[in-house]
Amino acid sequence: MKPVKYLLPDTHIPHAWYNLQADFPTPLPPMVHPGTGQPITPDMLEPLFGRELIKQEFSTERWIEIPEEVRQIFAQWRCTPLYRARRLEQALDTPAKIFYKYEGVSPSGSHKTNSAIPQAYYNMIQGVKKISTETGAGQWGSALSMACSQFGLECLVYMVKVSYNQKPYRRALMETFGANVIPSPSDTTDAGRALLESNPDSTGSLGMAISEAVEVAVKNEDTKYCLGSVLNHVALHQTVIGLECITQMELADVYPDVVVGCCGGGSNFAGIAFPFIGRMLQGKEKVRAVGVEPAACPTLTKGRHAYDFGDTSHFTPLMKMFTLGSTFVPPGFHAGGLRYHGMSPMVSHVQDLGLMESISFHQLETFAAGVQFAKAEGIMPAPESTHAIAGAVKEALRCKEEGKSETILFNLSGHGHFDMQAYIDYHAGKLKNYAYPEAEIAMALAGLPPVNH
Amino acid sequence: MKPVKYLLPDTHIPHAWYNLQADFPTPLPPMVHPGTGQPITPDMLEPLFGRELIKQEFSTERWIEIPEEVRQIFAQWRCTPLYRARRLEQALDTPAKIFYKYEGVSPSGSHKTNSAIPQAYYNMIQGVKKISTETGAGQWGSALSMACSQFGLECLVYMVKVSYNQKPYRRALMETFGANVIPSPSDTTDAGRALLESNPDSTGSLGMAISEAVEVAVKNEDTKYCLGSVLNHVALHQTVIGLECITQMELADVYPDVVVGCCGGGSNFAGIAFPFIGRMLQGKEKVRAVGVEPAACPTLTKGRHAYDFGDTSHFTPLMKMFTLGSTFVPPGFHAGGLRYHGMSPMVSHVQDLGLMESISFHQLETFAAGVQFAKAEGIMPAPESTHAIAGAVKEALRCKEEGKSETILFNLSGHGHFDMQAYIDYHAGKLKNYAYPEAEIAMALAGLPPVNH
């Protein structure tokens, strides 16, 4: 039999996260306060986040130990499998070797659990009783609900009202894990009540949901807030993906020429790519890292590297990142997890340093790649992950053209079981591509905060 | 770290299926022809089924080799993990050790793929071009669609019209795998047209869908029919589950005192239990095998062991099985895969020989067990599988009462990602238990075919 999957025993779950900050040739630009323009200090974040997580946010240590309690929960599904996509290679008739890391085996169906578990854990040992968060597409809310159920924490999820109504399956998953899911805007916070007063029919937005979740954390001693992407500590937690890949590719006796991941907030790309980029910075193997994003929300490919707010309501500190402007609202394409105006500051720094490339695809191309992948490999990819597939397919077809048998590794960050409406629309010919929103982006970029001027 | 999962490398995918027929103390009663009352011979089944599958249906060989091409596809997700449910044990405060085999990691999300792959394979090597089948809940249709996509076969799925409309996600999964899914009754067959003529608004039934799928196979030289449960060759294919468990429990250094599976048509129960029952019949370890069924369709616990038709339209041969009468229509509870009037003849024979026990639960009990399991273990079980969980929990609580630390093994036959509506209804308090349908069963049993008299 030809090997198609590479498994590792529990003993190979990484003992430490890898922090790319330790190997950056120039340091990461700090978060700054929008009022003073001065760097944010750890104590300023204490009302919001757990202490250990704030420490990680600022850390430049290369390795940060993963607590045994976290590894014990990870053991339920980690190490996740690394697959050789032999049937996809055959379908593409490419000399390239295609590998993919499958994060969809996690309890919430995506990589999000990698950060949800340690975030819940660190808050629990600090004595926090309740976690508040927001969720749009529902991946992060599901992961955090599951994490909280493991550590006996209450979990309060503000879910964008339109998603709350359109995605009852995601909501039921969170409720099964014991979370309290509230459609946002709601009457449970001052922010929500103000929003409802000005517009009782509001269907909500991620920015509004963040405001509600943050308010609850700030106003309640026993409550902290958690975020599922963008931040340094989230990128850090996701490095278990790439670290496992390094060992698994040794088993397969190959090393990737190119590593591909989709980019929304940046966490799953960081997770698979940072450990490889780190080795390159340490003088080890060279690798190309490719971030793939939707053409309708082209942060890395068309955005500006500038200080901007993380949210639309301008409650967050300023972060230096590739951004389309915090007031940019992406069109309604189906990969909800990639509909973000900004990008992880660490991923942005990596691109700024020339350590990665980025490309974009329209959604009809990514769904076509996703369906081809599902037929060949038997796994339904999440709409977000179809972007990584499209990127890998493009590389494989280049290899075919050039007659090269390169090794391609991509991150299949999640399954699409809760996103089948997208496939229904795709099969019915109802999906369309969106034109590049040039004018909207220009307008949003014109409103960047003054610290950039 | 405490071990919670037991993985096996691809090399441990079984090389042969185990056939319990080789070890039965008294032979399995044969299928008989409803007209003549005489045993069915293999040639009579040739218009419907692939030759190799018919051979397996009648075989009493103990071991039947699994083709390498089938093992190669299995390698995508097999060996499936065996888990120790440590958090569920903790939640139940039981001295029992609870293990579960998780078949939900398969491409279709359940054990059904174990038989779909070999059925598609044997038809392919025989030169068959097209497979027809029916599906109700959609698990079998998804598995066969995926199997056909792997071997380049066309797949035609007649899906009960009410499910076709209510379960668009399942349908989209099949279509993504390349299947042609037709709502039944349809105008593509004589049977369908006749049904539509007498009732244009018919929402269909499994019996009607079978009639359409069978007609297509019988009328087209290049088309064969496939069935996802009940038959001997399907039970045979599922034994990879139990065979892997035996090796995995050796890794965990335990042997089960009791093996639990849910029972609809019987295939997943057969899969996990037959290899253990076989060892017992060979004079090796004793084991209790427990089949769990819905109280609203209590085939094993309240049915009669008699010759009956496999379908409501009386097209099939007669099989000796526990049955509620082929005209019995179970109430609309949520575990669609368990809504069958009969039971695998092999499972029925096992119960008749006193080699297994059976119990039933109402659906409110099984969903409560399913939610408790999901919270503890992070996996959303299929509504069918919650029956096995409820059975295992009952055994674990008995162990607590008796102060015994027995080892319990159950089959988590699938995930519930496509069945979240059931959980939504459960959380909303909309689910109800159904009274034991005593009168309906008595009436259906009164109509058993004359061969029993």
Side-chain angles (χ1 to χ4, degrees):
Chain A
M1 275 201 329
K2 290 179 191 165
V4 292
K5 67 177 181 311
Y6 300 88
L7 302 176
L8 294 173
D10 298 357
T11 46
H12 282 62
I13 296 170
H15 287 268
W17 291 294
Y18 168 67
N19 187 1
L20 185 57
Q21 291 208 56
D23 289 304
F24 275 142
T26 59
L28 184 71
M31 280 188 203
V32 306
H33 192 285
T36 65
Q38 292 304 304
I40 292 283
T41 52
D43 57 296
M44 293 179 184
L45 299 177
E46 286 232 358
L48 269 188
F49 296 110
R51 272 188 296 275
E52 207 55 43
L53 297 163
I54 297 171
K55 222 192 270 180
Q56 293 176 357
E57 187 66 20
F58 288 87
S59 173
T60 55
E61 291 290 313
R62 182 170 288 126
W63 297 100
I64 295 175
E65 198 189 330
I66 306 180
E68 277 307 291
E69 293 85 342
V70 169
R71 294 181 73 241
Q72 181 72 60
I73 308 280
F74 280 171
Q76 185 82 17
W77 69 96
R78 303 208 76 85
C79 302
T80 60
L82 175 78
Y83 284 105
R84 168 93 184 259
R86 291 189 186 272
R87 290 180 174 272
L88 181 63
E89 291 170 16
Q90 214 177 342
L92 296 170
D93 189 26
T94 176
K97 296 185 192 75
I98 308 176
F99 289 82
Y100 58 97
K101 180 74 165 168
Y102 185 35
E103 290 292 310
V105 296
S106 94
S108 65
S110 83
H111 66 291
K112 292 288 185 189
T113 341
N114 296 332
S115 188
I117 301 289
Q119 289 196 46
Y121 170 76
Y122 286 121
N123 276 296
M124 181 271 291
I125 54 166
Q126 188 181 325
V128 171
K129 300 289 175 223
K130 196 187 219 172
I131 300 290
S132 69
T133 198
E134 73 288 329
T135 201
Q139 294 275 13
W140 171 246
S142 310
L144 196 62
S145 302
M146 185 271 172
C148 287
S149 83
Q150 297 292 308
F151 293 116
L153 294 168
E154 276 183 69
C155 186
L156 185 62
V157 183
Y158 286 95
M159 187 172 190
V160 178
K161 199 174 273 175
V162 60
S163 297
Y164 182 91
N165 292 324
Q166 281 177 356
K167 294 200 154 191
Y169 280 27
R170 271 282 169 204
R171 177 157 50 95
L173 181 64
M174 292 183 257
E175 288 173 349
T176 302
F177 289 143
N180 184 6
V181 187
I182 296 176
S184 166
S186 77
D187 63 1
T188 65
T189 62
D190 288 344
R193 280 185 291 268
L195 288 160
L196 284 174
E197 205 160 298
S198 67
N199 179 10
D201 299 325
S202 167
T203 55
S205 75
L206 213 47
M208 295 178 194
I210 292 177
S211 309
E212 293 204 87
V214 164
E215 181 182 322
V216 172
V218 171
K219 284 195 177 163
N220 293 281
E221 192 77 30
D222 64 349
T223 304
K224 295 285 177 193
Y225 169 74
C226 285
L227 189 65
S229 192
V230 182
L231 299 177
N232 303 342
H233 67 271
V234 182
L236 175 80
H237 297 158
Q238 293 296 348
T239 57
V240 291
I241 302 173
L243 292 170
E244 287 178 6
C245 281
I246 289 171
T247 312
Q248 287 167 312
M249 296 205 86
E250 269 171 34
L251 286 183
D253 207 18
V254 290
Y255 195 86
D257 296 292
V258 50
V259 177
V260 182
C262 63
C263 287
S267 78
N268 97 78
F269 173 81
I272 196 160
F274 282 7
F276 288 98
I277 292 172
R279 287 173 71 90
M280 182 163 61
L281 288 172
Q282 292 156 23
K284 296 176 188 158
E285 306 88 344
K286 282 213 163 65
V287 77
R288 284 176 56 225
V290 179
V292 188
E293 57 184 14
C297 189
T299 318
L300 285 165
T301 50
K302 305 271 194 178
R304 191 178 303 165
H305 195 215
Y307 271 102
D308 199 1
F309 292 97
D311 67 327
T312 42
S313 314
H314 298 180
F315 288 161
T316 70
L318 296 175
M319 294 175 284
K320 183 140 191 205
M321 59 181 178
F322 278 87
T323 179
L324 300 168
S326 65
T327 56
F328 173 69
V329 179
F333 57 86
H334 258 298
L338 306 182
R339 300 181 66 226
Y340 184 60
H341 72 275
M343 181 56 58
S344 145
M346 287 185 76
V347 171
S348 298
H349 195 52
V350 164
Q351 168 152 304
D352 193 51
L353 291 167
L355 298 170
M356 70 177 280
E357 307 158 31
S358 48
I359 50 169
S360 73
F361 289 100
H362 285 289
Q363 68 177 357
L364 287 179
E365 297 170 276
T366 71
F367 276 100
V371 167
Q372 180 172 38
F373 176 84
K375 263 189 194 151
E377 299 291 313
I379 297 174
M380 287 299 309
E384 291 80 7
S385 311
T386 63
H387 289 72
I389 297 171
V393 166
K394 188 178 177 173
E395 291 291 330
L397 294 177
R398 176 189 56 75
C399 287
K400 183 179 175 179
E401 220 174 270
E402 298 175 359
K404 288 183 182 164
S405 86
E406 291 182 16
T407 298
I408 300 162
L409 167 66
F410 74 89
N411 194 11
L412 188 67
S413 54
H415 65 60
H417 300 172
F418 295 100
D419 308 285
M420 294 302 293
Q421 190 58 49
Y423 287 92
I424 294 172
D425 293 348
Y426 177 73
H427 292 311
K430 285 187 192 160
L431 284 197
K432 59 165 189 167
N433 288 335
Y434 292 92
Y436 167 49
E438 196 165 2
E440 291 83 350
I441 291 172
M443 200 184 332
L445 284 176
L448 281 178
V451 68
N452 289 296
H453 305 310
Chain B
M1 275 199 327
K2 290 181 191 165
V4 292
K5 67 178 181 314
Y6 299 88
L7 302 176
L8 294 173
D10 297 357
T11 46
H12 282 62
I13 296 169
H15 287 268
W17 291 294
Y18 167 67
N19 187 359
L20 185 58
Q21 291 208 53
D23 289 306
F24 275 144
T26 59
L28 185 71
M31 279 188 205
V32 305
H33 192 286
T36 64
Q38 291 303 305
I40 292 283
T41 53
D43 58 296
M44 293 179 183
L45 299 177
E46 285 233 359
L48 270 188
F49 297 110
R51 273 189 296 275
E52 208 54 43
L53 297 163
I54 297 171
K55 221 191 274 177
Q56 293 175 358
E57 186 66 21
F58 287 87
S59 174
T60 55
E61 292 290 311
R62 182 171 288 127
W63 296 100
I64 295 176
E65 199 189 329
I66 305 179
E68 277 306 291
E69 293 86 342
V70 169
R71 294 181 72 241
Q72 181 72 60
I73 309 278
F74 279 172
Q76 185 81 17
W77 69 95
R78 303 210 74 85
C79 305
T80 59
L82 175 78
Y83 284 105
R84 168 92 184 259
R86 291 191 187 270
R87 286 178 179 275
L88 181 63
E89 291 169 15
Q90 214 177 343
L92 296 170
D93 188 25
T94 175
K97 296 183 192 77
I98 308 176
F99 289 81
Y100 59 97
K101 179 74 164 167
Y102 184 36
E103 290 292 310
V105 296
S106 97
S108 65
S110 82
H111 66 292
K112 291 288 185 190
T113 341
N114 296 333
S115 188
I117 301 288
Q119 289 196 46
Y121 170 77
Y122 285 121
N123 276 296
M124 181 272 292
I125 55 166
Q126 188 181 325
V128 171
K129 300 291 176 220
K130 197 186 215 172
I131 299 291
S132 69
T133 197
E134 74 289 327
T135 202
Q139 293 275 15
W140 171 245
S142 311
L144 196 63
S145 302
M146 185 270 171
C148 287
S149 83
Q150 297 292 308
F151 293 116
L153 295 168
E154 278 184 68
C155 186
L156 185 62
V157 182
Y158 286 95
M159 188 170 188
V160 177
K161 198 173 273 174
V162 59
S163 296
Y164 182 92
N165 292 324
Q166 281 177 356
K167 293 197 155 191
Y169 280 26
R170 271 279 170 209
R171 176 156 52 94
L173 181 63
M174 292 184 257
E175 287 173 352
T176 302
F177 289 143
N180 184 6
V181 186
I182 297 175
S184 168
S186 77
D187 62 1
T188 65
T189 63
D190 289 345
R193 281 185 290 269
L195 288 160
L196 285 174
E197 206 161 298
S198 68
N199 179 10
D201 300 325
S202 168
T203 55
S205 74
L206 213 46
M208 295 179 194
I210 291 177
S211 310
E212 293 204 88
V214 164
E215 181 183 322
V216 173
V218 170
K219 283 194 176 163
N220 294 281
E221 193 75 30
D222 64 350
T223 305
K224 296 285 178 194
Y225 169 74
C226 285
L227 190 67
S229 193
V230 181
L231 299 177
N232 302 342
H233 66 271
V234 183
L236 176 79
H237 297 157
Q238 294 295 349
T239 58
V240 292
I241 302 173
L243 292 170
E244 289 178 6
C245 282
I246 290 171
T247 312
Q248 288 166 311
M249 296 204 86
E250 268 171 33
L251 286 182
D253 208 18
V254 289
Y255 195 86
D257 295 291
V258 51
V259 177
V260 181
C262 64
C263 286
S267 77
N268 98 77
F269 173 81
I272 196 160
F274 282 7
F276 288 98
I277 293 172
R279 288 174 71 92
M280 181 162 61
L281 288 172
Q282 291 156 25
K284 295 174 188 158
E285 306 87 345
K286 282 213 164 66
V287 76
R288 283 175 56 223
V290 179
V292 187
E293 57 184 14
C297 189
T299 318
L300 285 166
T301 48
K302 305 270 193 178
R304 192 178 302 166
H305 195 216
Y307 271 102
D308 200 1
F309 292 97
D311 67 327
T312 43
S313 313
H314 298 182
F315 288 160
T316 70
L318 298 176
M319 294 175 285
K320 183 139 189 204
M321 58 183 180
F322 278 86
T323 178
L324 300 169
S326 64
T327 56
F328 173 70
V329 179
F333 56 86
H334 259 298
L338 306 183
R339 301 182 63 225
Y340 184 61
H341 71 275
M343 181 54 60
S344 147
M346 286 185 77
V347 171
S348 299
H349 195 52
V350 165
Q351 168 152 305
D352 193 50
L353 290 168
L355 298 169
M356 69 178 280
E357 308 158 30
S358 48
I359 50 169
S360 73
F361 288 100
H362 286 289
Q363 68 177 356
L364 288 179
E365 295 170 277
T366 72
F367 276 100
V371 167
Q372 181 172 39
F373 176 84
K375 264 189 195 153
E377 298 291 313
I379 298 174
M380 286 299 309
E384 291 79 6
S385 311
T386 62
H387 290 73
I389 297 170
V393 166
K394 187 178 177 170
E395 291 291 330
L397 294 177
R398 176 189 55 75
C399 287
K400 183 178 173 178
E401 219 175 273
E402 298 175 359
K404 287 183 182 164
S405 87
E406 291 182 17
T407 298
I408 300 163
L409 168 66
F410 74 90
N411 194 11
L412 188 67
S413 55
H415 64 60
H417 300 171
F418 295 100
D419 308 284
M420 294 302 293
Q421 190 58 48
Y423 287 92
I424 294 173
D425 293 348
Y426 177 73
H427 291 310
K430 284 186 192 162
L431 284 198
K432 58 166 190 167
N433 288 336
Y434 292 93
Y436 169 49
E438 195 163 5
E440 292 83 349
I441 291 171
M443 199 182 335
L445 284 176
L448 281 178
V451 69
N452 289 299
H453 305 310

